[in-house]
Amino acid sequence: MMRKIFILFFLTIVISPLFAQNDVSNQVAEGDYQGDLDIHGNRKGTGTYTWKDGTVYEGKWQDNLMHGRGVLHYADGSTYEGYFAYGKKHGYGVFTWADGDKYTGGFKEGKMHGRGVLEQTDGSVHTGIWREGKSNGEGDHVYADGSKYIGEWKDNLRHGKGIMLYADGRIEQGKWMNGDYLPCDCSKESYAVMDAFKDADAVFVGKVISVETADDASFDQVGFEVQSYWKGELYPGRKIYLFAAYSSCDFVFFEGDEYFVYAKKHEVFSNLYYADKCGRTRKMGGKFDRDEIAFLKEQVNCLPEDMEKRPTAYDFSTDPVCGCDGNTYKNAYKAARAGVGSWQAGKCNE
């Protein structure tokens, strides 16, 4: 219960609506002006205006309005330096609050608008698109504790597709709505090892060696170097490639990490496999990983009858594997041609 309360509190402090400064009045009677005037006595050109509350503007004027580049020092200690249009912040500018928080980026009619960066004194930083003074659209937010969210926003809340990388190592990827994460809904509570093996088209333990994003940014192609192999289409160098999209059910793979993978052939990309959170695919390092490897070695037929039908890319390289029959082969291709269905990387007895 306490964990749930903490998460709800955490989500409420994503981004504070900091930009609450009202545009200052442009009425001459409210202060003192020193600077250029046009032939009608209106402020135009360069000048300094001081309001009765201590607010000071130094910069360009037109038709009695702040217009062009200038610096506005508020009475509370906040400062805006940038461009104005007809009395309002408009264009590129830097707003620094009295407490040290700072926004650098676009403004429109007095509000944060366009691309900008909000840096807060607690260490959090938000970089992205702003509309009407709020984060709307793509944005990256680094929290004070080191957690990071990358994705879509709506009115200062995580909304749409995104990934949350928590400081404690947890990951939430997929769809967000009004600040809340919508988790994957798996139909199966558990998946027995041999059931998962029979359903999968590729089963292996491998290290991620590449993560390449598609041209349209709709998915990643994840390359694995296989360490332990039971089935799946191999490329030279013990390589297998997976499709990874960005839904709540898609698995998140990180380069350099090792995974236990149970994958199906992708329905569209025939050269790729696909694994989701509802199966047994997981990052290595769990308590029973080695036991599961030993179990598969015992249960899976070492010399399956369908080996000749399994597609295996020809490989000239010397990349030894230890077959389940206890023999060392020059590479995975040679093991497959010998009818060996599973192997470990490296020579036997090493």
Side-chain angles (χ1 to χ4, degrees):
M1 182 64 180
M2 287 301 295
R3 178 178 177 273
K4 185 174 182 181
I5 292 173
F6 171 76
I7 292 173
L8 288 173
F9 172 73
F10 187 78
L11 292 175
T12 63
I13 59 172
V14 174
I15 300 177
S16 300
L18 294 173
F19 198 77
Q21 292 286 352
N22 294 320
D23 288 306
V24 295
S25 171
N26 290 288
Q27 297 301 314
V28 178
E30 293 191 7
D32 177 66
Y33 176 74
Q34 299 292 326
D36 299 334
L37 301 171
D38 64 15
I39 59 174
H40 303 291
N42 296 318
R43 288 166 280 175
K44 182 177 182 179
T46 302
T48 300
Y49 193 90
T50 304
W51 280 261
K52 290 182 178 179
D53 67 354
T55 298
V56 178
Y57 171 76
E58 302 171 273
K60 297 294 183 178
W61 295 82
Q62 182 173 310
D63 298 331
N64 277 337
L65 299 173
M66 298 176 289
H67 190 86
R69 186 169 181 82
V71 181
L72 182 60
H73 302 278
Y74 288 90
D76 69 353
S78 301
T79 301
Y80 172 78
E81 181 174 359
Y83 288 89
F84 293 78
Y86 303 105
K88 295 183 178 181
K89 306 167 195 71
H90 194 92
Y92 178 82
V94 178
F95 194 102
T96 305
W97 282 264
D99 63 3
D101 292 339
K102 182 172 74 172
Y103 170 81
T104 305
F107 287 81
K108 183 178 180 181
E109 296 185 352
K111 297 179 179 179
M112 297 181 289
H113 194 93
R115 181 162 292 278
V117 180
L118 176 63
E119 302 170 89
Q120 296 181 252
T121 54
D122 65 358
S124 61
V125 179
H126 185 90
T127 305
I129 303 299
W130 302 78
R131 294 188 183 91
E132 297 289 325
K134 296 180 179 180
S135 177
N136 281 283
E138 296 291 334
D140 298 352
H141 190 90
V142 179
Y143 295 82
D145 70 347
S147 299
K148 185 175 183 179
Y149 173 82
I150 305 168
E152 298 174 340
W153 297 78
K154 181 181 179 182
D155 295 339
N156 286 347
L157 295 174
R158 294 167 288 188
H159 189 91
K161 293 181 180 179
I163 181 170
M164 184 73 193
L165 307 172
Y166 290 95
D168 62 8
R170 290 180 298 118
I171 300 171
E172 291 178 334
Q173 173 188 272
K175 189 174 182 179
W176 299 74
M177 184 173 291
N178 297 324
D180 294 325
Y181 175 63
L182 304 181
C184 179
D185 183 14
C186 297
S187 58
K188 278 196 171 186
E189 292 294 329
S190 61
Y191 218 144
V193 175
M194 290 312 296
D195 288 341
F197 182 85
K198 291 174 183 177
D199 288 346
D201 297 311
V203 179
F204 62 91
V205 173
K207 181 180 179 180
V208 176
I209 57 172
S210 64
V211 179
E212 298 180 1
T213 303
D215 292 339
D216 62 358
S218 62
F219 69 93
D220 292 333
Q221 178 177 289
V222 184
F224 288 84
E225 183 179 69
V226 178
Q227 308 298 324
S228 299
Y229 171 85
W230 289 275
K231 60 180 174 178
E233 184 174 349
L234 284 164
Y235 286 85
R238 294 180 280 116
K239 306 293 194 307
I240 290 181
Y241 295 92
L242 264 64
F243 172 100
Y246 313 120
S247 76
S248 299
C249 291
D250 283 293
F251 212 94
V252 184
F253 297 101
F254 292 95
E255 193 166 347
D257 288 344
E258 192 175 30
Y259 297 86
F260 208 135
V261 179
Y262 291 79
K264 298 279 290 183
K265 266 287 187 183
H266 195 273
E267 294 179 355
V268 177
F269 302 100
S270 60
N271 62 322
L272 302 178
Y273 292 93
Y274 171 74
D276 62 26
K277 295 178 182 177
C278 296
R280 292 189 66 87
T281 296
R282 61 193 183 276
K283 184 178 177 181
M284 288 289 286
K287 184 177 180 180
F288 301 107
D289 289 341
R290 298 303 166 187
D291 292 339
E292 189 164 326
I293 291 173
F295 180 78
L296 286 173
K297 287 180 178 179
E298 293 177 0
Q299 297 296 317
V300 177
N301 186 2
C302 179
L303 304 171
E305 297 179 358
D306 66 344
M307 277 306 298
E308 289 190 5
K309 298 180 182 179
R310 294 188 187 183
T312 304
Y314 191 84
D315 194 350
F316 293 94
S317 67
T318 299
D319 185 18
V321 298
C322 178
C324 54
D325 60 352
N327 295 316
T328 297
Y329 295 89
K330 181 180 179 180
N331 52 45
Y333 173 78
K334 292 295 186 181
R337 294 288 66 83
V340 175
S342 58
W343 46 259
Q344 308 290 311
K347 295 180 180 179
C348 296
N349 302 319
E350 277 194 346

